[in-house]
Amino acid sequence: MAYDLEEQEQIATFKAFWNRFGNLIMWVLIIALGSYAGYNYWNSHKRTQAVEASALYDELQNAVTANDNAKAQRIAGDIQKKYEGTAYAPMAALGAAKTAFEANDLKTAKAQLQWAIDKGNDEYKAIAKLRLAGVLLDEKSYDAALKLLNEQYPATFSAEVSDRKGDVLVAQNKLAEARQAYTAAYAAMAKENPGRQLVQVKLEAIGGTVPADKDAKAGETKAAA
């Protein structure tokens, strides 16, 4: 097939371009395709891990319900070892800590809660720290509990942190400080929170009074006007 002069020039230009950049283009394509394949494999791997971890976590929940501490610890260990990168790992640690605590195995409970603190996201860390503070309270390790409660927490946990501080301070017979903590917890809780009534009972039991709700104050001011 004959080519005219213009077509021959275009072919010559393309050949020159390919001779100069062909290898580079091929490597870029290979890397891009490899990255895409790797990305798809990683997503598929994560989905598979999540499904497998979910099945194990269901078994763990059954063990927790049955108060089978040995089984709960074994399953939690498997999840933490094989599926550490999933959300089920810190969830498993919290569940295993619960069965250990109820079995009076405080050493294991603390180890599981510490695992969740070290490996979990901010929410799981906060839950684990609050529960660990409760274990330390039971052990009468009051200073260690308060130190843990004085660490940084997400703002959404402010009420729970203040409430737990109040419990520790009451155990230390520091009632004035405990009243401040319970008052802060009560004020931070929404009205519909079922824990609010319990905080009120604890506050009044040590001679405190709950602060008036802002809405109630606003209504009284409006009525007086």
Side-chain angles (χ1 to χ4, degrees):
M1 181 177 180
Y3 295 98
D4 61 26
L5 182 59
E6 184 178 353
E7 290 175 331
Q8 289 176 359
E9 289 178 351
Q10 290 176 345
I11 293 171
T13 301
F14 175 76
K15 287 182 176 179
F17 173 83
W18 188 256
N19 288 334
R20 184 174 181 183
F21 298 108
N23 286 338
L24 176 60
I25 292 172
M26 288 300 297
W27 278 111
V28 169
L29 287 172
I30 290 169
I31 292 171
L33 290 172
S35 298
Y36 181 71
Y39 172 78
N40 284 338
Y41 170 79
W42 177 244
N43 281 339
S44 175
H45 176 66
K46 288 203 298 185
R47 285 193 296 270
T48 301
Q49 281 210 319
V51 170
E52 293 174 352
S54 175
L56 272 179
Y57 184 72
D58 286 343
E59 290 185 37
L60 174 66
Q61 286 184 307
N62 292 334
V64 171
T65 301
N67 290 321
D68 189 339
N69 184 43
K71 185 175 181 180
Q73 300 310 320
R74 184 175 67 255
I75 296 172
D78 287 342
I79 294 174
Q80 291 160 359
K81 182 179 179 181
K82 299 177 183 177
Y83 309 107
E84 180 180 328
T86 70
Y88 293 101
M91 289 165 60
L94 293 175
K98 181 178 182 294
T99 60
F101 181 79
E102 292 176 351
N104 202 33
D105 184 2
L106 300 187
K107 181 179 179 180
T108 299
K110 288 193 294 183
Q112 289 289 3
L113 291 171
Q114 189 61 54
W115 195 97
I117 292 170
D118 294 338
K119 306 289 186 177
N121 63 17
D122 288 345
E123 182 179 357
Y124 290 126
K125 285 180 182 179
I127 295 170
K129 286 195 288 187
L130 282 167
R131 293 184 184 177
L132 180 54
V135 175
L136 293 170
L137 171 60
D138 280 4
E139 290 184 327
K140 297 182 172 24
S141 299
Y142 304 131
D143 290 339
L146 285 176
K147 181 180 179 181
L148 192 62
L149 292 168
N150 284 328
E151 292 184 3
Q152 293 239 337
Y153 288 80
T156 51
F157 287 88
S158 61
E160 289 78 6
V161 172
S162 294
D163 183 26
R164 187 54 53 88
K165 280 183 180 179
D167 296 341
V168 177
L169 291 165
V170 167
Q172 291 181 302
N173 203 33
K174 297 178 179 179
L175 300 188
E177 293 177 54
R179 285 192 287 269
Q180 291 179 350
Y182 285 142
T183 299
Y186 183 88
M189 286 184 179
K191 287 183 180 180
E192 60 273 14
N193 189 326
R196 203 176 195 225
Q197 187 172 358
L198 177 58
V199 173
Q200 179 177 347
V201 170
K202 291 191 286 187
L203 176 58
E204 292 175 345
I206 58 173
T209 55
V210 297
D213 290 324
K214 292 180 181 179
D215 292 344
K217 280 185 177 180
E220 292 171 2
T221 302
K222 186 176 181 180

